[in-house]
Amino acid sequence: MGTSASRRFKQNVPLLWMFIPGALFYLLFKYTPMAGLVIAFKDYNLHDGIVRSPWVGLDNFNLIFSNALTTDIIINTLWLSLLRLVVGFPFPILLALLLNEVRKTWFKRSIQTMVFLPHFFSWVIVGGIVLTLFSQEAGSLNLLLERWFGYNHAFMYDVTSWVTIYLGSGIWKEAGFSAIIYLAALAAIDPVLYEAAAIDGASKWRQIWHITLPGVSTVVVMMLILSMGSIMEVSFDQIYILGNPVVASVSEVISTWVYQLGLQGAQFSLTTAMGLFESLVGLMLILTANQIARRMGKELW
């Protein structure tokens, strides 16, 4: 038994060496900084540092949740995140299903390249594209509206249209790259199942419903659980670039609040308390989603 375990260990040494950089990254940049969460329970200042700053208990949390503005910011974060999850989550699955049905290799590769490419654009570039399209004075869409109908619309300054643009730009940027995971799961489905279904007279829709979707259901549940963990997170880059004071009633979220109050206002204790609250909510959502998946027979751990 010992010899067998030693042999397996020696065989896996190259894999362990490959694992070390990733483990060090998470240890140094993810787990070690968690010690700084103690700032949330202190009146932190740079002169005294983390250790000598005075303890204030839950005062920072009381200050956060007694402020009506902070409550609105949390509601905005939850609302935008839920919208992004409900509207954006199905798109990578649908895109993967469509690409999986393409039989022309050159056409499939061309489409894959076009839908994957936006992921590698920074939000600065994407924001520039969005403003080029929807700007009120010089936006391409408004120029067409002026020419055809004689009026323009302030897309970036109207709450409804801004939220639509926010969701659409996020889907356009990330749906293609997220579809890679589902394409990998689709590639693992045995083609014999499709052949047997075709022989039995099953239509393409029946094959998708009874073979394809069940074949990727575990991956879908896993991605949904991971998405639930980030329900309190809204991309700072996207909000900061696309947002403006006119739509601040919906675009002001936790990430922008932390930037303004923490980095610009040096209120480190308050923003750390908000970050801890955000992380705890994310953890509870992950555990809840996993419990629901377990009851459905799709548990991950």
Side-chain angles (χ1 to χ4, degrees):
M1 188 70 178
T3 304
S4 177
S6 176
R7 186 183 302 113
R8 285 201 303 272
F9 177 79
K10 291 180 179 179
Q11 291 174 345
N12 292 323
V13 165
L15 297 177
L16 293 173
W17 278 108
M18 293 173 63
F19 173 74
I20 288 176
L24 288 176
F25 170 80
Y26 278 93
L27 181 64
L28 294 176
F29 298 104
K30 299 294 183 180
Y31 290 102
T32 302
M34 289 176 66
L37 290 174
V38 70
I39 296 174
F41 305 97
K42 289 190 170 190
D43 183 13
Y44 174 76
N45 62 83
L46 295 175
H47 180 267
D48 293 329
I50 296 177
V51 177
R52 291 184 296 175
S53 294
W55 291 91
V56 294
L58 298 177
D59 288 354
N60 291 319
F61 294 93
N62 293 332
L63 185 59
I64 287 175
F65 295 110
S66 62
N67 190 327
L69 177 61
T70 309
T71 305
D72 291 339
I73 289 172
I74 295 173
I75 293 173
N76 287 343
T77 304
L78 284 172
W79 184 59
L80 289 177
S81 295
L82 287 173
L83 276 177
R84 183 185 60 186
L85 180 63
V86 173
V87 177
F89 186 79
F91 273 87
I93 303 172
L94 179 61
L95 182 59
L97 292 176
L98 293 174
L99 288 174
N100 189 58
E101 296 301 321
V102 176
R103 293 295 172 259
K104 295 291 185 180
T105 304
W106 66 268
F107 182 74
K108 182 176 183 179
R109 290 179 177 176
S110 301
I111 296 298
Q112 282 179 328
T113 301
M114 287 189 290
V115 298
F116 293 169
L117 189 60
H119 170 78
F120 301 98
F121 295 160
S122 71
W123 272 112
V124 176
I125 296 175
V126 175
I129 295 173
V130 169
L131 292 177
T132 300
L133 290 173
F134 298 104
S135 175
Q136 186 171 4
E137 282 90 23
S140 302
L141 186 56
N142 270 318
L143 290 176
L144 292 176
L145 289 176
E146 283 277 4
R147 181 179 301 175
W148 293 341
F149 304 105
Y151 74 93
N152 59 30
H153 181 73
F155 291 102
M156 300 302 295
Y157 302 102
D158 178 74
V159 170
T160 302
S161 59
W162 185 89
V163 171
T164 303
I165 292 170
Y166 164 80
L167 294 174
S169 60
I171 292 171
W172 177 74
K173 186 176 186 298
E174 299 296 343
F177 191 79
S178 300
I180 294 176
I181 299 174
Y182 301 108
L183 285 172
L186 290 171
I189 299 176
D190 192 348
V192 174
L193 296 175
Y194 293 104
E195 296 174 4
I199 292 173
D200 289 339
S203 64
K204 182 61 66 175
W205 289 110
R206 287 289 182 181
Q207 293 177 32
I208 293 174
W209 183 260
H210 293 288
I211 300 175
T212 306
L213 290 179
V216 298
S217 60
T218 302
V219 177
V220 171
V221 171
M222 179 188 70
M223 297 302 295
L224 180 61
I225 291 176
L226 294 177
S227 298
M228 290 295 292
S230 59
I231 201 71
M232 288 290 289
E233 298 178 10
V234 176
S235 172
F236 170 79
D237 295 340
Q238 183 181 9
I239 290 288
Y240 187 75
I241 291 171
L242 298 182
N244 58 76
V246 179
V247 294
S249 59
V250 294
S251 66
E252 194 70 28
V253 294
I254 290 177
S255 57
T256 56
W257 181 84
V258 169
Y259 170 73
Q260 293 169 3
L261 196 65
L263 294 181
Q264 294 183 333
Q267 298 291 327
F268 301 111
S269 295
L270 286 177
T271 51
T272 302
M274 178 65 86
L276 179 57
F277 165 74
E278 183 180 2
S279 299
L280 290 175
V281 172
L283 175 62
M284 289 188 293
L285 288 173
I286 284 180
L287 295 177
T288 301
N290 190 61
Q291 287 297 322
I292 295 173
R294 180 173 297 171
R295 293 179 182 274
M296 295 172 61
K298 300 290 184 181
E299 69 272 17
L300 297 181
W301 61 76

